[in-house]
Amino acid sequence: MSQFKTIDDLELSGRRTLVRVDFNVPIRDGKITDNSRIVRVLPTIRDLKAQGAKIVLMAHFGRPKGNVVPEMSLAPVVEGLSDALGGEKVVFANNCIGAEVSTQIDALANGEILLLENLRFHAGEEANDASFAQELAKLGDVYINDAFSAAHRAHASTDGLARLLPAAAGRLMQTELEHLSQALGQPKRPLAALVGGAKVSTKLDLLSNLVGKVDVLVIGGGMANTFLNAQGIEVGRSLCEHEMADTARAILKEAEAQNCKVMLPSDVVVAETLAENVPTSTVETSSVPDNQMILDAGSQTAQEIIAELKNCKTLVWNGPLGCFETEPFDAATNSVAQAAATLTVSEELLTVAGGGDTVAALVHAGADENFSYISTAGGAFLEWLEGKTLPGVKALEDAA
């Protein structure tokens, strides 16, 4: 398991505490439309308040590319954060570095909160510029990273700053890393991974890493078509990367060498077009009509996956089994997700999910609240699954 310090390892009373958070929330007409990223940081903020820290929150919003873009200001987040904290006062700084910001921080009482303006208004943030990191460091006594979703980027606020101040993980970062370690670092076996999505080419590193780590690999979505095609199975008009056939065969060969069982659909739901209420049929994978496309795994496949999960102790899930946004092509994802949730509730299975459309698919299936952990980190979650070193995490480990 990763070794890193947490809030519990720092003396924070009266200390200027710089906290990297993810407040890259959806905003429409100046109002936050989904505050889930704010809510996930509340445990850290509350713990810091309880310890009497002077809380200085740092975040990015959008991609201003080093320019001041008024539409990408974090100012609208102040009200949303205050509401989430039950009306607690939140002060806003019009910059994220400089003497004026330093004065605002010095004026904070213990337990009070200041939100800095968008870090990415300065080009030094994404460039991990040493001088910009030094300017940030001048504002604080300690540093806490609570933005796992930004940990795959070596930016000044995630990497450089962590090397200039005493550094620790916030509660969200801590929870994320602990669950990820349980899922792939030191998992209870048998360990299964369910990987869906459109293209093998976008998840090549992921699949290559997983076949050497998991006992069972379930492949769904459009990428399953590429694997079927690589085995000489005709997939009609389905989404398929024919040019990836050699790569798919190489992954299957490596899985066999690693004693990893690969599960592909045995039956599929097909239609002439992707739309709601179109005529569909369920066929064996060897019998896909030339004029139709595979849009979901069949019920037999779903039951085979569920039966396999009943023999497993850990499941890592990334991506849907079919085009879940369009009914009835959500059926396989729904049934497998609900079964996994049931196994989680009965403590037979540890379930960790994240990345891409995964969260939306599990919410759609009504299974999200019963999974052991769902990461909203997107790119960072995927890179972790791929076995890559995350700069933001490594910086915390180096500081431990």
Side-chain angles (χ1 to χ4, degrees), residues 61-258:
F61 185 83
R63 297 179 179 177
K65 299 186 182 301
N67 301 303
V68 176
V69 180
E71 296 79 16
M72 296 183 186
S73 171
L74 280 166
V77 174
V78 171
E79 182 180 355
L81 176 59
S82 177
D83 289 345
L85 287 166
E88 187 88 26
K89 178 184 177 183
V90 178
V91 183
F92 184 67
N94 291 316
N95 204 337
C96 61
I97 55 173
E100 186 176 332
V101 177
S102 182
T103 299
Q104 285 183 280
I105 293 173
D106 290 340
L108 291 175
N110 292 0
E112 288 190 335
I113 304 166
L114 174 72
L115 173 63
L116 304 184
E117 182 57 284
N118 194 341
L119 291 162
R120 291 186 182 176
F121 281 179
H122 296 264
E125 162 63 1
E126 292 187 87
N128 198 9
D129 179 73
S131 60
F132 180 68
Q134 289 279 2
E135 287 299 308
L136 289 173
K138 290 177 184 177
L139 303 176
D141 301 307
V142 297
Y143 167 80
I144 290 173
N145 191 342
D146 211 28
F148 178 79
S149 54
H152 60 314
R153 302 292 185 230
H155 292 171
S157 66
T158 59
D159 179 65
L161 183 56
R163 303 179 186 280
L164 298 173
L165 295 173
R171 296 304 186 206
L172 177 58
M173 174 74 84
Q174 179 184 352
T175 300
E176 191 100 27
L177 292 177
E178 287 173 349
H179 279 91
L180 298 186
S181 178
Q182 277 185 288
L184 271 192
Q186 299 170 315
K188 291 183 178 179
R189 293 184 180 273
L191 164 63
L194 189 157
V195 180
K199 296 182 177 181
V200 173
S201 55
T202 62
K203 295 191 176 180
L204 184 57
D205 290 344
L206 171 59
L207 295 170
S208 298
N209 184 52
L210 288 179
V211 294
K213 289 183 176 289
V214 306
D215 303 297
V216 180
L217 176 60
V218 179
I219 300 177
M223 68 171 63
N225 303 336
T226 299
F227 278 87
L228 293 171
N229 172 73
Q231 294 177 313
I233 297 172
E234 296 294 334
V235 294
R237 293 174 45 246
S238 307
L239 175 65
C240 177
E241 293 177 286
H242 296 275
E243 72 281 4
M244 297 293 292
D246 287 343
T247 300
R249 283 190 286 268
I251 291 173
L252 292 173
K253 184 177 180 180
E254 179 62 20
E256 185 177 4
Q258 296 284 353

Side-chain angles (χ1 to χ4, degrees), residues 288-321:
V288 177
D290 292 342
N291 67 336
Q292 302 209 347
M293 60 181 77
I294 299 170
L295 297 172
D296 195 13
S299 58
Q300 175 180 301
T301 297
Q303 290 308 309
E304 290 169 352
I305 296 170
I306 292 168
E308 193 67 41
L309 293 183
K310 288 179 179 179
N311 295 322
C312 293
K313 296 296 183 184
T314 306
L315 169 66
V316 178
W317 185 314
N318 171 247
L321 291 169

Side-chain angles (χ1 to χ4, degrees), residues 317 324 330-331 333-338 341 359-368:
W317 185 314
F324 76 96
D330 56 348
T333 300
N334 289 349
S335 60
V336 175
Q338 290 158 9
V359 179
L362 297 180
V363 170
H364 177 78
D368 56 309

